[in-house]
Amino acid sequence: MSDLAIPAGPVRRRGVSSFLAQNRRISLGGTVILLMILAAAFAPLFAGNPNSMNPMIRLEAPSAVHWFGTDSLGRDVFARTVFGGRISLAIGLSVAILAVALGILIGLPAGYYRRFDALVMRVMDGLMSIPSILLAIALVALTNGGVPIVIIAILLPEMPREVRLVRAIVLSAREQPFVEAAVAGGARTRKVLLRHILPATFAPLTVQGTYVCASAILVEAALSFLGAGVPPSIPTWGNMIASSQLYLGLAPWNIFFPGVALAVLVLAVNLLGDGLRDRLDPRLARSL
Amino acid sequence: MAAYTLRRLGSTVVVMLLVGIFVFALLHIAPGDPAAIIAGDNATPAEIASIRQQLGLADPLSVQFVRWFWHLLHGNFGISIFSDTPVITLIGQRVPATLSLTVLTIAFAVIVAVAAGVFAAWRAGGVLDGSLMGFAALGFSTPVFVVGYFLIYFFSIRLRWLPVQGYVPLSHGLWPWLSHLILPTIALGLAYVALIARITRASMLEVLAEDYIRTARAKGASTEAILFRHALKNAGVPIVTVIGIGVALLVSGVVVTETVFNIPGIGRLAVDAITNRDYPIIQGVMVIFSGAYVIINLLVDLTYTLIDPRVRY
């Protein structure tokens, strides 16, 4: 498993523009994500009010005034789509960051201490076999839902993959000569783990974190759609689609625009992940 | 092999026990009185007291868990609050619809994805490869319910080729049953197709570079024989692994698909239980779906030796 180490690769220091030209998937995915983050952050400045109802203009088709049309309560679909991106991005990013952090926190010691490892891996197997959507449904039925509950519900089944990844890297790294040298040189276990082994996890975790983000966005949308997500007063792409399903034949734009926004965002995140994988982890890039 | 099977069975039992502990613990970790949660929002104090009695909440947690798990093993999943029916009966009624949907989806996805992956690898770098993999990326990024509504809009509302929603049992005839399941199968299967097709392509590319493929070509074997008899067989292990892992994707997708297409299956049962806060039902569905996932992956692990005799334990 010595080939798990990350080859440095040719270093190109010729500025941002040449980097972007050489990494089209990273730049395309990154640009789309950046635009969506900007739109979500500055939504109040240009998108209008996502919650103002007007019964006079129910289910209107897209026009110059309402770019994406209006929904069954006369709310502007464009405003709701832009504001809906906030929840998707916030939950996608927080789940990714937390999953990576927990992956390091649990995976590092699990790869190093045999006893701890056996216990942790069985618990991870158990967590992985509970479908995330059902876990979220259970949590929402037991508590009263809300953003933190949704994050926990998505995080619990996603985290085992990070833990396994970190553990696998630790297992292979601890057999490497430089780790042996550090141990022989009298370095403390904590120092060996943090200084010598931890850096090897950064590149694979960045790639994996991107995929977790994409997956979290999809699960959040599904939960909102099922009514087990964030409270319905907050517009999300999932609950926009759920509340418009009866009007699919009459006003398809109510489902089309949030649906396309969702697919484009997830596609962009996956594209970024693929680009990063090719760039940071050439061993995987060959096969997939 | 026998030793491996036993070890694998043992770890499956351990994982199921952990799933049980987890599902049980959720109810007791959640804020509030478990009896009040089980009894629902409109319960009288007398009803709550009777549920407390029934659950034996006065006993230590370990005793409660063992009793609960013992009942579970005997098919006693508790009683639904809303309909006052045993949960196992409610789940049993929903099995045919869910089973129809999942079996059709797995069959559809495996056939389409393996074919697509093999052809993409055969013509790697070409137009067919590019478009198939682009399609896979899209399929992997579009949520089930978005695909589902797009399909309903075009094929049921615009073209009127297929029914909009609902489910008809197989006993009412093959076509009525199948016609209601075509769109749900495509919607649910798309992400699964994308996943399997990508792995198939990657695994095939590796095998096609081997010496024995060149030998087969040199001795004059036809392209089909090389692709399907020589290459696909040797590329099988990762493909079968991902089919098993992908079942998790499928299980979550089933819940959403049954809601979009109004199919009275097990997933739909859980979603309807949210509104009534019918926790025993949600608990039962969690155990059933997790169990299905664990057992399918056990079977997948045990089939490795059948596909690839080189795999020895």
Side-chain angles (χ1 to χ4, degrees):
Chain A
M1 288 297 280
S2 59
D3 58 349
L4 254 182
I6 315 302
V11 182
R12 304 185 190 85
R13 291 186 198 278
R14 272 175 289 162
V16 178
S17 59
S18 87
F19 172 84
L20 291 181
Q22 277 159 2
N23 298 277
R24 279 162 59 200
R25 284 193 283 191
I26 296 181
S27 43
L28 182 62
T31 310
V32 172
I33 297 167
L34 201 66
L35 286 176
M36 285 190 141
I37 290 177
L38 286 176
F42 297 108
L45 296 181
F46 70 95
N49 186 342
N51 290 320
S52 81
M53 301 178 206
N54 184 352
M56 302 296 290
I57 51 163
R58 295 177 69 233
L59 300 176
E60 273 190 9
S63 65
V65 187
H66 301 285
W67 293 354
F68 290 0
T70 60
D71 70 3
S72 58
L73 297 171
R75 294 175 296 195
D76 183 43
V77 178
F78 176 72
R80 293 181 69 72
T81 306
V82 174
F83 273 89
R86 292 183 148 192
I87 286 289
S88 290
L89 286 164
I91 288 186
L93 286 175
S94 22
V95 169
I97 292 168
L98 288 170
V100 166
L102 284 172
I104 292 174
L105 216 64
I106 302 173
L108 270 187
Y112 216 83
Y113 302 106
R114 288 275 152 77
R115 285 257 175 82
F116 184 61
D117 182 43
L119 174 76
V120 165
M121 283 303 115
R122 291 290 84 71
V123 173
M124 292 299 137
D125 284 347
L127 277 183
M128 265 175 106
S129 48
I130 298 174
S132 51
I133 288 196
L134 286 174
L135 182 61
I137 288 175
L139 285 174
V140 169
L142 285 174
T143 61
N144 277 316
V147 176
I149 294 291
V150 173
I151 290 179
I152 293 173
I154 303 175
L155 182 63
L156 280 177
E158 290 284 351
M159 177 193 64
R161 284 195 262 167
E162 271 55 38
V163 175
R164 280 167 171 275
L165 181 68
V166 174
R167 168 182 176 269
I169 294 168
V170 177
L171 282 180
S172 77
R174 60 182 289 180
E175 307 299 332
Q176 303 259 338
F178 68 87
V179 173
E180 251 175 79
V183 175
R188 290 213 191 108
T189 306
R190 216 180 69 181
K191 194 178 172 195
V192 172
L193 278 176
L194 295 181
R195 285 279 287 279
H196 298 280
I197 297 182
L198 183 62
T201 65
F202 290 159
L205 273 179
T206 311
V207 175
Q208 189 73 14
T210 324
Y211 293 137
V212 169
C213 177
S215 159
I217 293 171
L218 284 177
V219 178
E220 185 283 322
L223 291 178
S224 290
F225 170 75
L226 294 173
V230 301
S233 57
I234 305 172
T236 67
W237 294 335
N239 68 27
M240 284 172 73
I241 292 174
S243 65
S244 307
Q245 44 184 317
L246 290 175
Y247 312 102
L248 179 61
L250 277 173
W253 49 87
N254 268 306
I255 286 173
F256 181 80
F257 289 109
V260 168
L262 195 49
V264 167
L265 177 60
V266 177
L267 194 60
V269 177
N270 276 327
L271 212 58
L272 179 69
D274 289 351
L276 286 172
R277 186 194 57 208
D278 293 359
R279 174 85 194 163
L280 298 174
D281 200 351
R283 188 183 55 93
L284 272 171
R286 252 185 303 117
S287 54
L288 276 167
Chain B
M1 183 64 201
Y4 174 77
T5 310
L6 273 179
R7 203 146 31 86
R8 193 64 188 71
L9 267 174
S11 76
T12 303
V13 171
V14 172
V15 169
M16 272 324 287
L17 198 66
L18 279 163
V19 169
I21 291 175
F22 192 75
V23 171
F24 175 80
L26 271 183
L27 178 64
H28 293 269
I29 292 170
D33 176 9
I37 293 173
I38 293 266
D41 288 339
N42 303 319
T44 62
E47 280 167 343
I48 295 177
S50 110
I51 285 178
R52 187 169 290 131
Q53 180 84 36
Q54 197 188 319
L55 290 176
L57 287 180
D59 297 331
L61 269 185
S62 54
V63 175
Q64 287 184 47
F65 172 73
V66 170
R67 188 168 42 217
W68 177 77
F69 204 75
W70 187 248
H71 285 161
L72 216 60
L73 290 177
H74 290 78
N76 180 357
F77 283 60
I79 291 169
S80 156
I81 303 147
F82 188 67
S83 57
D84 210 19
T85 318
V87 170
I88 194 73
T89 313
L90 291 172
I91 291 179
Q93 290 165 351
R94 308 289 190 113
V95 166
T98 300
L99 212 56
S100 304
L101 176 62
T102 44
V103 170
L104 270 182
T105 304
I106 293 175
F108 158 79
V110 170
I111 292 169
V112 172
V114 170
V118 167
F119 286 113
W122 176 43
R123 287 271 178 262
V127 179
L128 185 72
D129 179 30
S131 40
L132 278 174
M133 287 307 114
F135 194 72
L138 195 65
F140 207 63
S141 306
T142 318
V144 174
F145 54 97
V146 174
V147 180
Y149 284 123
F150 280 16
L151 289 173
I152 294 178
Y153 183 73
F154 285 108
F155 292 102
S156 306
I157 297 180
R158 289 278 140 199
L159 296 170
R160 295 175 187 280
W161 286 355
L162 290 163
V164 175
Q165 282 177 324
Y167 170 77
V168 174
L170 187 54
S171 56
H172 288 51
L174 184 65
W175 175 244
W177 173 75
L178 194 62
S179 66
H180 280 87
L181 286 170
I182 291 175
L183 295 184
T185 298
I186 298 174
L188 176 59
L190 205 58
Y192 202 41
V193 168
L195 182 72
I196 301 171
R198 282 171 78 154
I199 298 290
T200 306
R201 176 180 177 274
S203 183
M204 283 290 285
L205 275 181
E206 218 155 272
V207 173
L208 285 176
E210 298 276 350
D211 288 342
Y212 58 81
I213 298 294
R214 189 165 9 119
T215 310
R217 199 164 284 153
K219 75 167 193 197
S222 66
T223 308
E224 298 92 81
I226 290 175
L227 285 178
F228 290 99
R229 195 149 350 120
H230 295 276
L232 185 58
K233 243 183 155 177
N234 286 298
V237 168
I239 301 175
V240 173
T241 308
V242 85
I243 290 174
I245 295 171
V247 170
L249 200 74
L250 214 57
V251 166
S252 285
V254 163
V255 180
V256 179
T257 310
E258 288 180 352
T259 308
V260 170
F261 289 95
N262 208 3
I263 298 170
I266 300 174
R268 188 62 204 271
L269 186 67
V271 174
D272 290 341
I274 305 174
T275 344
N276 308 322
R277 314 243 298 175
D278 203 335
Y279 193 70
I281 289 186
I282 297 173
Q283 230 174 15
V285 175
M286 268 166 96
V287 171
I288 293 278
F289 274 169
S290 311
Y293 173 75
V294 172
I295 287 168
I296 288 172
N297 275 290
L298 171 71
L299 294 178
V300 163
D301 275 7
L302 294 181
T303 51
Y304 287 158
T305 41
L306 296 181
I307 312 162
D308 192 343
R310 286 171 304 183
V311 178
R312 290 259 174 273
Y313 299 108

